[in-house]
Amino acid sequence: MYQTYGYAAQDAGSPLAPFEFQRRDLREHDVRIDVLYCGVCHSDLHQARNEWRNTLYPVVPGHEIVGRVVETGSGVTRFKTGELVGVGCLVDSCRSCPSCAEGLEQYCENGFVGTYNGVDRVSGDVTFGGYSTMLVVDEAFVLRVPENLDPAAAAPLLCAGITTYSPLRTWGAGPGKKVGIVGLGGLGHMGVKIAAAMGAHVVLFTTSASKIEDAKRLGAHEVVISKDPEQMQAHANSFDLIVNTVAAQHDLNPFIELLRRDGTMALVGAPEHDHPSPQVFNLIMKRRRLAGSLIGGIAETQEMLDFCGKHGLTSDIEMIKMQDINGAYERMLKSDVKYRFVIDIATLKQ
Ligand code: NAP
Ligand code: ZN
Ligand code: ZN
């Protein structure tokens, strides 16, 4: 067993605080990773505070993890000591159901194992995430991080990157397509960068007028203040795809009205309280689709990392000390982050 230092929430009402625990001895296909950086996803906050009502305490959040391999199990073939690797939201799945067979482990019909707040399929232990000094993960769920990318700025690709890349790929973002991204937070700013790199015409919807210039710098061709009905109306019936990353309950109708015939709005934001049901006629009259999308499978996550390596795409980050995590959560709730907090895990090792 390996002594590990992390930060955990003990219950929904308490701030995160130092927490010591053991990582398991290596199984045949396990890789042991020295964690360097971990991104701070809004899902970490949702789960630390039990907003999805499924948190197992204590919870050590963190699923945007970059580190270096320090030890490999006897059966490991894909990774060597010293390699720069990533771990995202998944650390295991059943590997035999139709979804797993298709490489869609996130939709595993027997339930995937989350990097944290999951239950290990072998030991039954609750999994602990990347707000920690060390990780032990089966090599099948470890990703290769392109060495040309800054490792700290690459960490958010493991969730924010793949969660936007996957629906953009699924619904065909590319040249000649008009794509909307709703919300300029961690997910949204990666959505803008990736959709622009795919060659789509990108429109960013924001509630924050202060983010207009940033959105353009990040690659948006147009920016719309979503609270302004006139600006919204100018885009009626014109979008092929809208990826909605908003982390709070809101009215979906104003966005659905912007879809062209057969257009799709994919929801990826996972708010504590459901959105009110949209108007049925808004969907019927133009055969519009309202969809959802969950992170991405392991193969697609590697494809996304390679795409980002090729295009030199990383997250715009603000590096924080582990000790500053609770203040970072408060700022995230105020949409006051440009555009992803990343924890320097060295501050936890001191
Ligand atoms: P984030 O950094 O906090 O960004 C969310 C953005 O949503 C904010 O920056 C803000 O953008 C907008 N927003 C926030 N409150 C709003 C409100 N009341 N009305 C309208 N807009 C609002 O969060 P994130 O890390 O990107 O995560 C976004 C959501 O996706 C979270 O719910 C998270 O749990 C979920 N998520 C889902 C998946 C998945 O697989 N489906 C994966 C990861 C995360 P503006 O200031 O530009 O308006
Ligand atoms: Zn996440
Ligand atoms: Zn499965």
Side-chain angles (χ1 to χ4, degrees):
M1 305 278 262
Y2 298 91
Q3 189 68 15
T4 306
Y5 302 91
Y7 258 56
Q10 297 290 344
D11 57 68
S14 304
L16 271 67
F19 176 65
E20 277 183 46
F21 60 100
Q22 308 274 317
R23 291 293 184 190
R24 65 176 182 248
D25 288 327
L26 298 199
R27 298 174 189 150
E28 191 181 349
H29 294 285
D30 277 348
V31 169
R32 187 161 67 88
I33 300 165
D34 175 39
V35 179
L36 297 172
Y37 302 104
C38 187
V40 178
C41 180
H42 208 116
S43 302
D44 299 348
L45 187 159
H46 288 310
Q47 289 176 88
R49 299 184 178 180
N50 199 22
E51 290 179 356
W52 295 341
R53 293 167 285 280
N54 67 353
T55 304
L56 304 164
Y57 291 98
V59 62
V60 177
H63 58 207
E64 295 186 334
I65 304 162
V66 167
R68 289 212 181 261
V69 176
V70 287
E71 191 181 353
T72 54
S74 60
V76 170
T77 56
R78 297 180 48 240
F79 295 97
K80 288 196 185 65
T81 300
E83 270 185 285
L84 190 66
V85 292
V87 176
C89 305
L90 310 171
V91 289
D92 203 359
S93 67
C94 85
R95 311 186 196 198
S96 57
C97 73
S99 293
C100 286
E102 278 187 63
L104 298 168
E105 298 89 353
Q106 75 274 37
Y107 302 116
C108 175
E109 279 133 68
N110 297 303
F112 67 80
V113 181
T115 301
Y116 65 87
N117 198 30
V119 176
D120 185 81
R121 295 177 63 87
V122 178
S123 66
D125 291 337
V126 174
T127 55
F128 293 138
Y131 296 5
S132 66
T133 50
M134 194 192 298
L135 214 64
V136 173
V137 184
D138 188 297
E139 66 169 332
F141 288 79
V142 177
L143 288 309
R144 221 172 282 283
V145 176
E147 290 275 358
N148 64 312
L149 299 180
D150 172 55
L157 301 178
L158 275 306
C159 177
I162 185 59
T163 301
T164 48
Y165 182 89
S166 186
L168 290 168
R169 282 277 283 161
T170 299
W171 284 284
K177 293 290 165 81
K178 185 169 172 182
V179 172
I181 304 287
V182 188
L184 196 67
L187 267 58
H189 94 292
M190 285 315 308
V192 167
K193 290 187 187 201
I194 292 169
M198 287 174 170
H201 182 82
V202 182
V203 181
L204 183 273
F205 295 92
T206 181
T207 58
S208 313
S210 61
K211 295 181 182 174
I212 294 175
E213 287 316 309
D214 276 354
K216 290 185 176 160
R217 174 179 58 77
L218 296 168
H221 301 97
E222 298 177 66
V223 181
V224 170
I225 300 295
S226 54
K227 289 183 278 195
D228 179 347
E230 226 168 87
Q231 286 189 41
M232 293 289 277
Q233 188 53 36
H235 290 273
N237 306 317
S238 66
F239 281 87
D240 296 285
L241 171 66
I242 297 177
V243 178
N244 186 329
T245 77
V246 173
Q249 183 186 55
H250 64 283
D251 183 5
L252 301 178
N253 288 304
F255 295 105
I256 292 174
E257 286 164 16
L258 306 190
L259 296 171
R260 58 184 298 164
R261 194 201 74 226
D262 289 322
T264 299
M265 178 154 76
L267 302 178
V268 295
E272 178 179 8
H273 302 291
D274 276 331
H275 307 301
S277 173
Q279 283 155 14
V280 173
F281 268 73
N282 259 342
L283 295 165
I284 292 179
M285 296 307 283
K286 293 201 180 289
R287 200 163 58 185
R288 291 160 169 152
R289 280 166 290 203
L290 183 59
S293 185
L294 177 65
I295 46 175
I298 295 301
E300 194 175 46
T301 304
Q302 189 62 62
E303 179 189 302
M304 175 277 307
L305 285 167
D306 296 344
F307 177 88
C308 290
K310 187 174 152 208
H311 293 270
L313 297 183
T314 53
S315 177
D316 284 27
I317 64 165
E318 181 177 336
M319 195 95 84
I320 60 167
K321 298 186 187 119
M322 185 72 256
Q323 295 76 8
D324 294 338
I325 187 66
N326 295 302
Y329 278 4
E330 292 313 311
R331 283 184 52 197
M332 187 156 64
L333 283 174
K334 290 187 240 156
S335 298
D336 175 25
V337 44
K338 293 187 169 178
Y339 278 91
R340 195 59 136 186
F341 290 116
V342 170
I343 304 162
D344 181 357
I345 298 296
T347 61
L348 184 55
K349 295 172 185 163
Q350 283 159 9

